[in-house]
Amino acid sequence: MKDLTGMKQNNGIKVIGLTGGIGSGKSEAAEILAGTYGALLLNMDRIAHELMAEGGVSYRLIVEYFGRGILDDEKNIDRGKLGKEVYQNAEKLKILNSFTHPYVLDYVRSRIKEVKEKNSYPFICVETALPREAALKDFCDEIWYVSTNKQVREERLKSSRNFNRTKFEQVLLNQLSEEEYEAASTHILTNNGTLEGLKAQMEKLLNGENRK
């Protein structure tokens, strides 16, 4: 594991927000930070999934509002059924988000506070595809955007998830544009090539070399 004692600021352990669209390689970058550099990885999407599992606070609120008809045979929330409930209904989507986002943020902030108090990790990585909704600027020292051109992303998703052009374009409609991601970030990683190339850029950022 690489030594990152230089990452620690005067006010404690550095928090890096990591963001990017689908197929950008954001998750691979997060795995590098955790596996190679020993960061605590807080994946906001995974946390939301855990809170929506039976017994979680989001699960209770969602079922109370939308009814038990959104559950599958094993009493788990059926995301397909839930998606139909909020599809093209901005008010219901807003309500659904209110059942998840605040609790995810509470968990993330609590873990960051705990780690800083115990000094238990060299730094923290908060991964999300939604930097604005996640309010990364409120608690991150830096926000890294993994930027990948559209054609490369499409090819990756065709290979890894069997996406076709229509599905890819539909997903893009619900994500931020390149310009919006850049505006929400402090640093940019370009990931159109190899994993080694991405690692090299990340090491430069961790060593304090700016790239935006």
Side-chain angles (χ1 to χ4, degrees), residues 108-120:
V108 168
R109 290 175 183 274
S110 174
R111 286 291 284 134
I112 289 173
K113 182 174 183 291
E114 178 186 347
V115 169
K116 287 193 172 188
E117 287 174 350
K118 295 181 178 179
N119 202 31
S120 49

Side-chain angles (χ1 to χ4, degrees), residues 117-130:
E117 287 174 350
K118 295 181 178 179
N119 202 31
S120 49
Y121 288 87
F123 66 103
I124 300 166
C125 171
V126 181
E127 179 189 354
T128 179
L130 305 169

